[in-house]
């Protein structure tokens, strides 16, 4: 089983809610043309789609409990970027 936790924050750089002990696998900006983000596994067996709001640029921080195939929990922190 895979557990995905989404944390949507206004404009804070501190990822509240995300587990600080998890390993970061992505930390950067993404453009969401329809305001939705999708998270899935490498085998494409599981896919989660979450609407974060209007379209635009977002800062995204993704961390996992165990990098690689053994990951069971994914923390996704999404922060709306100011342009």
């Amino acid at each position: 089983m895979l557990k995905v936790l989404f944390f949507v924050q206004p404009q804070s750089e501190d990822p509240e809610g995300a587990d600080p002990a998890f390993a970061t696998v992505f930390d950067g900006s993404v453009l969401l043309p329809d305001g939705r983000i999708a998270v899935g596994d490498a085998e494409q067996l599981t896919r989660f789609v979450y609407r974060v709001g209007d379209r635009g640029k977002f800062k995204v921080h993704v961390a996992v409990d165990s990098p690689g195939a053994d990951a069971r929990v994914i923390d996704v922190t999404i922060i709306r970027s100011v342009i």
Side-chain angles (χ1 to χ4, degrees):
M1 180 197 311
L2 180 65
K3 183 178 181 181
V4 178
L5 304 171
F6 288 97
F7 303 98
V8 180
Q9 299 176 324
Q11 296 166 353
S12 168
E13 291 297 321
D14 184 25
E16 295 175 17
D19 191 327
F22 284 9
T24 298
V25 294
F26 179 81
D27 190 19
S29 295
V30 296
L31 181 61
L32 302 177
D34 60 0
R36 294 184 297 166
I37 190 166
V39 177
D41 62 82
E43 290 84 24
Q44 299 181 356
L45 299 174
T46 307
R47 183 172 181 224
F48 301 92
V49 178
Y50 187 82
R51 183 166 177 80
V52 296
D54 293 332
R55 65 183 175 171
K57 188 176 180 182
F58 293 82
K59 180 173 175 11
V60 178
H61 180 263
V62 181
V64 295
D65 61 339
S66 176
D70 294 331
R72 295 286 178 242
V73 181
I74 303 171
D75 280 353
V76 181
T77 303
I78 304 164
I79 302 167
R80 176 75 178 194
S81 294
V82 178
I83 299 174

